[in-house]
Structures are given as structure tokens and as C-alpha cells.
Amino acid sequence: MKAPVYVYYQLDNFYQNHRRYVKSRDDKQLRSKAAENDVGSCSPEDYTPNDMGHKPIVPCGLIAWSLFNDTYKLTSNNKDLVINKKNIAWKSDQNGKFGSDVYPKNFQAGGLIGGARLNESLPLSEQEDLIVWMRTAALPTFRKLYGKIETDIEVNDVVLVIENNYNTYEFGGRKSIVLSTTTWVGGRNNFLGMAYILIGGISLLLAAAFLLLYVMQPRPLGDPSYLSWNKNPGSLR
């Protein structure tokens, strides 16, 4: 596989599009330090427990709380492959949706840990794993970018070690890792290909049906003498 090789994690039967899950975040809090206490839509991950001071959680909400936390280590020919986790998020998200002055606070501090912890010394705009995860998926099976390998690799010689942290067993989910490359037309996407073929086939059938209908029962042309400007030519002056 020619570099860059993109490393994705794939989750099945994970409904990031659930209404309550999607709403469990606060965009103002993610953008601005001044909105640290804006946690109204983040319940139950809005404040720390009372015995821990009842402090606002940054970032709050179920989406951030459930951040994917499996880790991957790949080796090829007995050499570790470096997975670059920089520049994996959309720049528009980094610059417009996550503040450079907003730092994690009280995150994963409760008794129930949902996923990965965040580095409290880095602003949210630099926590690209979080930014990628916070762009919720529309379907229950989805892939998200984990990182990039910037050297050529031989697939048959790759050894993968997974630190299995993320609990998908409780909801009957499944996890996968995907290595992929891109071409000038983008990455592999079977859904788009099938959708284009299906829509093209339906369009072709409709075109043939309308053509056949026109040949068998042609529509008679209208009589131009009934046009208003032909019936009253003097009215055009």
C-alpha cells in the first residue's frame, strides 16, 4: 500500500444519530471559555457528582463522554509504524467549533467512565481525536479517521496489536480496523457506487418509458392561432 495509508476505526450498531445523543452537547461551551457553565443540554454528563463539588464538565454531554478509546500499534518487518494523528480533523471544525482557549475540566471524573480521557494541558482545538468523534455519523455503521501512516507498507507483513478498551459488547456492537488509501477520485466507497448505479438505472428506465409513451401516443401540438397575441394582434401595440 502506497503512502499515505489511512487508519480508520469502524463501529457497527452504534447509533450516533439518536436524538438524545446528538443533542447532548453544548456548542457554545466548546467554542468559548466564557461559556464554561453552559451545560443545559448535556444531562446527565453536565456536572460532577455532588461529593466532587458539582462542577461543570468540559466538554459536557454524552458524545464527548463516549469518546472512542481503543489504541492500535502496527509493525511491519519488525519495525513500528508511526501513526500520525495530526491533521485528521476538518480545519473548519478546528477553527470554528472548538476554542483555542477551552481546556478540558472535570472530564471523565465521575464513577462511570464512558471512553477516552482528554489531555487537560491541550485546548479542545488541538484534541483532534475528540473533534473527529464529535462529528456524529448519520448511520449506525460508520468509520472515523484514527490516523495516517506516511510510509509505504506491505499488507502481508503487518502485525496489529489492539488495546481493547472500548466496550461495544453492552449494546451488541462490533469494532473493526480499516486500512485504506485514496486516489484522485477519493477513497473507496461502495455505498456511493451502488447509489449512483441504482439512480442511473432508474433514470434510464424512466427515459425509455417516456420515449415509448411518446412514440405510441404522441401528444398533439397546440394550435398557435389560440394564443392571445394571435387572437388580438392589436393589443400588442
Side-chain angles (χ1 to χ4, degrees), residues 9-82:
Y9 56 88
Q10 177 173 312
L11 292 177
D12 298 284
N13 200 38
F14 191 112
Y15 289 83
Q16 272 200 320
N17 59 350
H18 190 283
R19 180 181 62 85
R20 186 177 181 187
Y21 184 87
V22 171
K23 291 175 63 178
S24 188
R25 61 186 290 167
D26 193 286
D27 291 327
K28 289 183 179 179
Q29 188 203 58
L30 295 173
R31 285 194 303 265
S32 173
K33 182 179 180 180
E36 179 178 299
N37 294 312
D38 289 359
V39 295
S41 60
C42 293
S43 180
E45 291 300 316
D46 47 3
Y47 292 99
T48 58
N50 290 331
D51 58 355
M52 299 183 66
H54 197 66
K55 300 176 182 178
I57 298 172
V58 182
C60 67
L62 290 173
I63 305 178
W65 175 78
S66 60
L67 175 61
F68 187 80
N69 64 340
D70 277 6
T71 60
Y72 305 132
K73 179 181 178 182
L74 291 91
T75 59
S76 179
N77 296 323
N78 297 320
K79 294 182 180 179
D80 290 342
L81 296 174
V82 177

Side-chain angles (χ1 to χ4, degrees), residues 93-168:
D93 287 354
Q94 276 189 278
N95 299 330
K97 295 184 178 181
F98 294 83
S100 59
D101 62 342
V102 182
Y103 291 80
K105 288 185 179 179
N106 309 309
F107 187 69
Q108 303 287 22
L112 185 62
I113 306 301
R117 301 180 184 273
L118 296 175
N119 186 342
E120 295 189 354
S121 64
L122 290 178
L124 296 187
S125 60
E126 296 181 20
Q127 312 239 14
E128 296 193 48
D129 284 333
L130 173 70
I131 298 173
V132 171
W133 179 257
M134 295 288 284
R135 179 169 282 276
T136 53
L139 299 174
T141 297
F142 58 86
R143 295 177 185 175
K144 291 183 182 289
L145 187 58
Y146 180 83
K148 295 179 290 186
I149 300 172
E150 297 178 333
T151 57
D152 297 346
I153 63 174
E154 293 291 336
V155 178
N156 295 331
D157 294 328
V158 173
V159 176
L160 171 65
V161 178
I162 299 175
E163 186 176 325
N164 186 19
N165 299 314
Y166 204 69
N167 185 1
T168 58

